[in-house]
Amino acid sequence: MGHYVRAFTEGSKEQKDLLGGKGANLAEMTRLGLPVPPGFTITTEACRFYLATGTLPPGLEQEVEDHLAALELEMGRSLGDSDDPLLVSVRSGARFSMPGMMETVLDIGLNDESVLGLAAASGNERFAFDSYRRLLQMFGATVLGVDADAFAVELDKLKAERGTYADVELDAADLRGLVATFKEVIRRHTGRDFPQDPREQVHAAVLAVFSSWLTERAVVYRRQEQIPDDLGTAVNVQAMVFGNRGSRSGSGVCFTRDPASGAPGVYGDYLADAQGEDVVAGIRNTVHLTELEAIDKTSYDALLEVMRLLERHYRDLCDIEFTIEAGRLWILQTRVGKRTAEAAFRIAHAMVGEGLIDPDESLRRVTGGQLAQLLFPRFDRSAARELLTIGVGASPGATSGRIALTSARAATWGALGEDVVLVRRETNPDDLPGMIAARGVLTARGGKTSHAAVVARGMGRTCVCGAEQLDIDVERGEVMVSGHTLQEGDVVSIDGTTGEVFLGAVPVTDSPVLRHLEGSSPDEADELVAAVAFVMEHADRVRRLEVRANADTAEDAARARRFGATGVGLCRTEHMFLGPRRELVERLILAADDAAREAALAELQPLQRADFVELLREMDGLPVTIRLIDPPLHEFLPDHTELAVQVALEDSLGKRDERHHTLLEAVARLREQNPMLGLRGVRLGIVVPGLVAMQARAVLEAAADRVEAGGDPRPEIMIPLVATAPELALVRAQVEEMAGSIRADRGVELPVRIGTMIEVPRAALTADEVAQHADFFSFGTNDLTQLTWGFSRDDVEAAFFPTYRDRGILAASPFESIDVEGVGALVTSAADLGRQVRPELHLGVCGEHGGDPRSIHFFERAGLDYVSCSPYRIPVARLEAARARLV
Ligand code: PEP
Ligand code: MG
């Protein structure tokens, strides 16, 4: 067989890169002997060739011809035959699922002759002409570029003439007329006739599918989901089976467990006398899958058997599309199903219990991002609230926002920072920008498998769908429900777990998972809490990285410890200089002589010491990294412009204030063009006499206090913004001297480690020299990113990152997720250089990246000892640190 095309009998589920997700799974099911209509897959390689060159790969058309001929032989029917013709579908199928983003054309092979063959063979003229009009509609819109509305308008006109809303009430003669009308629509819009040659139809449809990789909605979706742009899609050409062949036919979608909650059971939607796209589009209302048992027990039992088999084979939740044609079950697609965060944890836990997967695998089945979602608050059940209606809880969470009735409105309001709930009759791929911008999505039509549900779950947006009582009038900007008329812009609240919709904003309460992780309510009876507890326990067994907290107060440290932190990785001591203590710092800066400065330091010292005692008590027995003061001093002084105006005003009124003049002089003296690059960190400690000594004394006296109180303090003193070894050597000597004198004074053993942040590229590049004076390195990836890229960490994200992202220069902000190639390379080489000099050098990271899943995977690879992050991210970091070991 040729190079760019594979029959379903030739592939397997491992070949997703080449065959796309759908193609690989069709091949897998074919191998398993399931009833899959035969067909073949044109590989992603062919698509990439086409996207790169604008032409089809040499020989592809002949390969497709050969496979079509083989398919005709296997089916015993021919394309375009006037006597029982073969029809095929042409569907996209990329490596990563992109629901509804790319094109599909069904019923290919119909033309003016074969439609009669189909009518004769099926004994159902209505069905044949309905299929033909569907082909004209889909082919016209997706392949020939005719506006889809042009067809919809004609269909609506016909239905109005017949006085019906339902497609099924149109008879064969109506549909025959509609075929003629649709052909005319195509002729009018394209100046050409609909191609009658089935092989020409196949080739044109394949090209249209390839090209659909580049449509705007597909590009937007890939950017949102971080799917690379250069993968291309495969194309599946498959013999058609028909769910719209009367009452013994139908189509459905099912899940092997509930994708919203993870509960076991039969979940799915079924629609009689319909093709698959009718189910997913939510155009007509489906019935629950269990009702199929009464309609067609044989097919229902066969489907349950397929569900069991697929779930055991894939060892995961499967999402299956099926069609029943005249009482015969066909499986059209399966894939590992998308699920909510709650379902992910519950299914992983349950499958370990069922012996389907091992505990390590349960860690691969969940993500830190999903865990973070479970920490979200829920609506307060005791709060007064007015229920408007109940729909289907399709993606959990509890959120309130202003009603936006169009995707564009949601996007505009979202960009202004408003909380928005996108309210639509049903969503389609064009609503994607609005769904991204909204906090939640509410639809009037469709079930758990509708577009809105699938996409919202994938994005982690709260979603309620199928709230059928909603009567939405986009033109008037109104929603009518339960006797209320809501205007666009009014606030509603939606609960994506229960499907409830409330009027106005409803207050929220903490999630049970959060309470469990904080150790306040070990509610193991809750299946979700039990699942999270199981996964986290195993994560702690598997992970190598320690997880510490960035905590400046005893309260934060206590919370972090409850969340499982094993130490403080960063206490920013400058935060202890805020509030009323600001005035003391001001005095320190304004000190006219040594005596005044020392007096100010002497007053600050006991305050700091008391803070450190508390912090060390909360983290007793665990390391606490205390960083000496970092920010530029002017941050503790008033704003220059405001002060200058005040002084000028006072002077002009003859009310000169000497203190304000002195302050203004100091502000002017300390003002810097680039404070981030100025007098801060270790530089301050070197320039301001007594500052390091004061802080070191505060830490060490606090430790001595704790030792005397029977505690086990483990302080680590960390020097920020070091660029060169001599800086560190100088400050280290001062700290050691202080430690020596306090040991002697107090007569206690004081364990203390002294280390540095690595956050200036020069320090990273000379890490072997720096390490000679350091017991540990803590990578300050915030400053390291800022200084490596030359990006101001305070300004650029709003200033030009959006453009950089749109132009494809940056996929994600390097301040959120570590830039592995650049900043990451500095981290790796500094770690190596440091350990060459000191093999026992302890290595960690305390920038924002310490709590970011992708970055944590990198820090695991780089061989660091710990990550440190804000208290609420600690559970996520524990989980991701374990996952990082497994991949
Ligand atoms: C850093 O730069 O990464 C860091 C942790 O320090 P700060 O954010 O306080 O500058
Ligand atoms: Mg820093």
Side-chain angles (χ1 to χ4, degrees), residues 683-700:
R683 304 164 196 174
L684 265 178
I686 290 172
V687 169
V688 181
L691 191 54
V692 170
M694 182 277 284
Q695 288 205 290
R697 177 180 283 280
V699 174
L700 295 161

Side-chain angles (χ1 to χ4, degrees), residues 570 572 627 630 680 757 759 780-783 793 846-847:
L570 174 63
R572 293 176 164 106
R627 183 180 73 182
D630 183 25
R680 54 177 282 225
M757 296 193 65
E759 53 183 344
T781 45
N782 303 332
D783 274 309
R793 56 195 264 196
C846 63

Side-chain angles (χ1 to χ4, degrees), residues 549 551 556-558 560-561 565-568 614-624 712-714:
D556 274 358
R561 194 164 190 166
T566 48
V568 167
E614 296 276 293
L615 196 61
L616 291 169
R617 181 186 296 126
E618 290 299 346
M619 279 288 168
D620 198 56
L622 295 173
V624 175
D712 179 11
R714 310 256 173 110

Side-chain angles (χ1 to χ4, degrees), residues 789-813:
W789 284 85
F791 283 163
S792 160
R793 56 195 264 196
D794 299 318
D795 303 317
V796 290
E797 299 209 63
F800 61 87
F801 273 13
T803 314
Y804 266 42
R805 237 172 263 161
D806 289 348
R807 305 294 291 270
I809 301 170
L810 286 177
S813 162

Side-chain angles (χ1 to χ4, degrees), residues 28 108 139 261 275 357 359 449 457 470 492 528 556 687 756 847 862:
E28 186 75 12
I108 285 183
F139 195 94
S261 72
Q275 285 291 61
I357 60 174
T449 50
R457 274 202 295 279
L470 293 182
V492 288
L528 175 60
D556 274 358
V687 169
T756 181

Side-chain angles (χ1 to χ4, degrees), residues 616-732:
L616 291 169
R617 181 186 296 126
E618 290 299 346
M619 279 288 168
D620 198 56
L622 295 173
V624 175
T625 312
I626 294 170
R627 183 180 73 182
L628 302 187
I629 186 168
D630 183 25
L633 288 181
H634 80 264
E635 283 195 9
F636 297 97
L637 296 179
D639 177 73
H640 180 264
T641 314
E642 278 174 26
L643 189 60
V645 170
Q646 192 184 349
V647 166
L649 204 64
E650 286 165 355
D651 287 357
S652 70
L653 295 173
K655 293 185 182 161
R656 183 181 168 91
D657 182 327
E658 281 313 319
R659 200 182 145 267
H660 287 169
H661 270 270
T662 321
L663 200 55
L664 184 59
E665 268 167 38
V667 174
R669 182 162 31 86
L670 291 170
R671 218 149 66 108
E672 295 172 318
Q673 287 297 335
N674 290 305
M676 278 288 188
L677 306 179
L679 183 60
R680 54 177 282 225
V682 68
R683 304 164 196 174
L684 265 178
I686 290 172
V687 169
V688 181
L691 191 54
V692 170
M694 182 277 284
Q695 288 205 290
R697 177 180 283 280
V699 174
L700 295 161
E701 295 272 15
D705 294 349
R706 288 292 305 144
V707 172
E708 282 170 6
D712 179 11
R714 310 256 173 110
E716 303 186 334
I717 292 181
M718 177 155 80
I719 324 295
L721 220 75
V722 164
T724 169
E727 288 173 313
L728 182 59
L730 197 76
V731 175
R732 181 181 182 109

